[in-house]
Amino acid sequence: MTERNTPPKGGSMDEIRYVADRIALMDVMLRYAKGCDQRDLDLYASVFAEDVEIIGFTDEVVRGRDNWVPWVRERLEDFDATQHMLAPQLATIDGDNAHCRTDVQALHYLKGAPNNRTLTLWATYNTDMKRIDREWKIVRHELERRGVRIQED
């Protein structure tokens, strides 16, 4: 299959598979956000390949789901609540591999802070996914920060 970011024409099986893959890729990122925001770390972990590579969230590259998820769990303890709002995703699919660009605005309510202090992050997720055992998994996830703002009510 050739690399595509637009669907094949003509109502073919390739077109149906492309549309199904696009929905599945978006669902991976929606489960990512839901798992984080609802503190369902099993759901959150389920979107990653075992050997995932994480870039841009820390000063160093994090390798492996078993290293990444505990780090996220610990960071989430700093917040009363979070909400990750994802923009429509741009995806390029090449067989069982895909690259996705997803813009995010993430609102974080700081735990115990007076006046409902919030941290807002504007960023882009550059995410490579691979179909593993017929399911899309994140194999490389990079945070590209656009801006951060802390404010109080």
Side-chain angles (χ1 to χ4, degrees):
M1 176 182 250
T2 59
E3 184 176 300
R4 299 202 166 151
N5 60 8
T6 58
K9 303 293 183 207
S12 67
M13 289 303 291
D14 283 344
E15 185 177 21
I16 293 168
R17 181 176 178 157
Y18 173 84
V19 171
D21 283 342
R22 286 298 311 269
I23 292 168
L25 292 167
M26 287 185 287
D27 282 352
V28 169
M29 294 308 297
L30 291 171
R31 287 193 312 273
Y32 171 101
K34 179 181 179 181
C36 186
D37 294 338
Q38 293 188 340
R39 307 305 195 263
D40 182 344
L41 277 290
D42 290 333
L43 175 63
Y44 183 78
S46 75
V47 304
F48 296 103
E50 216 173 286
D51 60 349
V52 67
E53 181 178 73
I54 307 292
I55 300 166
F57 290 82
T58 70
D59 291 338
E60 296 184 16
V61 174
V62 179
R63 289 186 172 76
R65 179 180 57 214
D66 292 343
N67 293 320
W68 175 241
V69 174
W71 185 89
V72 170
R73 174 179 280 116
E74 189 175 319
R75 297 294 83 69
L76 288 174
E77 291 175 10
D78 294 336
F79 307 110
D80 285 330
T82 58
Q83 183 182 38
H84 290 71
M85 296 173 283
L86 305 179
Q89 183 183 78
L90 179 63
T92 303
I93 302 168
D94 185 7
D96 288 337
N97 297 290
H99 176 76
C100 303
R101 179 190 191 277
T102 310
D103 290 319
V104 60
Q105 180 177 321
L107 186 63
H108 304 77
Y109 284 90
L110 298 168
K111 187 176 273 183
N115 301 321
N116 293 323
R117 184 177 295 162
T118 58
L119 179 149
T120 304
L121 168 70
W122 294 272
T124 299
Y125 293 137
N126 291 299
T127 308
D128 293 331
M129 298 192 207
K130 184 176 183 71
R131 193 186 329 261
I132 300 171
D133 296 329
R134 299 178 4 164
E135 187 176 359
W136 288 103
K137 298 284 185 178
I138 297 173
V139 294
R140 183 180 183 280
H141 187 54
E142 181 177 0
L143 176 71
E144 184 179 341
R145 286 185 170 88
R146 304 279 181 209
V148 175
R149 181 173 158 187
I150 296 177
Q151 65 190 75
E152 294 180 11
D153 287 346

